[in-house]
């Protein structure tokens, strides 16, 4: 038998030693890896009852109203203009805010030398009158008197023609009242026929006008709707709507129709105080009123895909209930169907 050489034995000794060490490690549990940590206990879950803020379903009265500001305007407003022809503005005889009498001059157009011609013709007519009277007194005969009369009539016709032309250049007040509007034209500027020059209003017939920024807010308002009106004296007066967009008369002026489409006219109920034109007042317009109805807070109503519902607490459980709503305000909702007084609804 061939014996292993010493060099071969030295080559295999390290391998055997490593194998022996590995075997001993497995048997004794020794290892170069760190020891495993002991497993932790699972977390404990505690049950907690969910709390909800609730409010009772109540029964009461409900008002839907609009608060804003309205201005006092006359119910009788006469717009004046030069109806037949325009011209060049000469001057105004009044200012905005003036109180004037019927027939008082308001404005005048340029007429050149027409005023002087009118004055001269008045003198000519006066002369013709004197000659006619003298012919009668002097027994000038039938022909002489007749000629004097014809001359007087001719001169009077000419004066009437000149005066009519001059009157067309003058604008007179159609009625007594307050000048609530005056055109801002300056002397020397052109004036068109039928251009509004001034508005004369009757201060004894005053109503309030509310101009809505959004016409949909007053869409349901009807004639006769109650209005509370508070004036500068902090006193509240009763009033009512006398004209709405749906009852306003149609006008041939688009501007008037556009204004009426978003305006309410409100009258003070008698007895009423004297209110100057231009006065501002706080108004409370009662759009709708409901008495003895089922009510819930606005925050309790939920809406999803057109469905209205609330969450009701029953036996410590939350239950969804479909409801039919009625009148709505900023903080309350009328429930027409679905709830009863005394139930508790969840509030978000």
């Amino acid at each position: 038998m061939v014996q292993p050489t010493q060099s071969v034995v030295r080559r295999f000794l390290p391998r055997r030693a490593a194998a022996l060490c590995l075997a001993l490690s497995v048997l004794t549990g020794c290892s170069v890896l760190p020891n495993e940590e002991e497993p932790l206990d699972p977390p404990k879950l505690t049950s907690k009852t969910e709390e909800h803020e609730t409010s009772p379903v109540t029964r009461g009265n409900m008002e839907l109203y609009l608060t804003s500001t309205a201005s006092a305007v006359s119910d009788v407003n006469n717009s004046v203009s030069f109806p037949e022809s325009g011209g060049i503005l000469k001057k105004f005889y009044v200012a905005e805010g003036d109180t004037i009498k019927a027939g008082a001059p308001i404005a005048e157009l340029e007429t050149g030398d027409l005023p002087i011609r009118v004055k001269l013709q008045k003198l000519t007519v006066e002369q013709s009158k004197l000659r006619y009277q003298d012919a009668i007194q002097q027994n000038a005969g039938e022909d002489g008197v007749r000629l004097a009369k014809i001359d007087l009539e001719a001169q009077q016709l000419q004066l009437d023609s000149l005066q009519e032309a001059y009157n067309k250049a003058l604008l007179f007040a159609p009625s007594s009242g307050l000048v609530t509007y005056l055109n801002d034209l300056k002397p020397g500027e052109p004036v068109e026929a039928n251009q509004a020059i001034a508005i004369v209003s009757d201060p004894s017939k005053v109503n309030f006008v509310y101009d809505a920024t959004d016409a949909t807010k007053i869409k349901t308002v009807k004639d006769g709707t109650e209005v509370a009106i508070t004036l500068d004296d902090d006193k509240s007066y009763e009033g009512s709507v006398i004209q709405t967009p749906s009852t306003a008369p149609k006008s041939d002026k688009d501007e008037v129709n556009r204004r009426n489409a978003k305006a309410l006219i409100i009258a003070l109920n008698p007895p009423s105080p004297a209110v100057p034109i231009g006065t501002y007042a706080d108004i409370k317009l009662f759009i709708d009123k409901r008495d003895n109805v089922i009510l819930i807070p606005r925050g309790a109503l939920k809406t999803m895909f057109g469905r209205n519902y609330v969450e009701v607490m029953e036996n410590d459980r939350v239950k969804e209930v479909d409801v039919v709503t009625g009148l709505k305000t900023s903080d309350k909702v009328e429930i027409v169907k679905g709830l009863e007084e005394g139930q508790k609804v969840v509030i978000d």
Side-chain angles (χ1 to χ4, degrees), residues 30-49:
C30 296
S31 174
V32 295
L33 298 176
N35 295 331
E36 293 184 2
E37 296 182 359
E38 294 184 3
L40 299 175
D41 294 334
K44 295 181 179 180
L45 300 178
T46 58
S47 60
K48 181 180 179 181
T49 303

Side-chain angles (χ1 to χ4, degrees), residues 318-337:
V318 177
K319 175 184 177 182
E320 291 186 358
V321 176
D322 290 339
V323 294
V324 178
T325 61
L327 203 60
K328 296 179 182 178
T329 65
S330 60
D331 60 345
K332 294 181 181 180
V333 179
E334 176 194 5
I335 300 300
V336 178
K337 183 179 179 181

Side-chain angles (χ1 to χ4, degrees), residues 90 108 110-127 154-167 169:
K90 182 178 181 179
E108 181 180 350
E110 289 286 0
T111 54
D113 63 349
L114 186 57
I116 296 177
R117 291 168 59 192
V118 170
K119 290 181 179 180
L120 291 174
Q121 188 60 31
K122 286 181 178 180
L123 294 175
T124 301
V125 169
E126 185 66 24
Q127 290 176 345
Q155 297 300 334
Q156 184 63 52
L157 287 173
Q158 189 171 355
L159 175 61
D160 292 343
S161 178
L162 291 172
Q163 188 67 57
E164 183 180 359
Y166 180 62
N167 288 344

Side-chain angles (χ1 to χ4, degrees), residues 135-151:
I136 295 175
Q137 292 175 358
Q138 297 296 328
N139 295 321
E142 183 177 348
D143 291 341
V145 172
R146 177 63 179 163
L147 288 173
K149 184 178 181 181
I150 291 174
D151 179 65

Side-chain angles (χ1 to χ4, degrees), residues 231 236-239 267-275:
L231 300 177
S236 184
Y237 301 89
E238 294 182 355
L268 283 166
N269 296 341
S272 60
V275 179

Side-chain angles (χ1 to χ4, degrees), residues 59-128:
R59 184 178 291 276
N61 301 332
M62 195 173 185
E63 292 181 347
L64 180 62
Y65 56 84
L66 179 150
T67 57
S68 190
T69 303
S71 58
V73 300
S74 176
D75 194 38
V76 179
N77 301 285
N78 294 312
S79 178
V80 291
S81 60
F82 293 98
E84 296 186 9
S85 61
I88 303 300
L89 180 65
K90 182 178 181 179
K91 66 177 179 178
F92 285 112
Y93 289 93
V94 298
E96 192 168 308
D98 286 353
T99 299
I100 58 176
K101 299 291 185 181
I106 292 177
E108 181 180 350
L109 298 177
E110 289 286 0
T111 54
D113 63 349
L114 186 57
I116 296 177
R117 291 168 59 192
V118 170
K119 290 181 179 180
L120 291 174
Q121 188 60 31
K122 286 181 178 180
L123 294 175
T124 301
V125 169
E126 185 66 24
Q127 290 176 345
S128 296

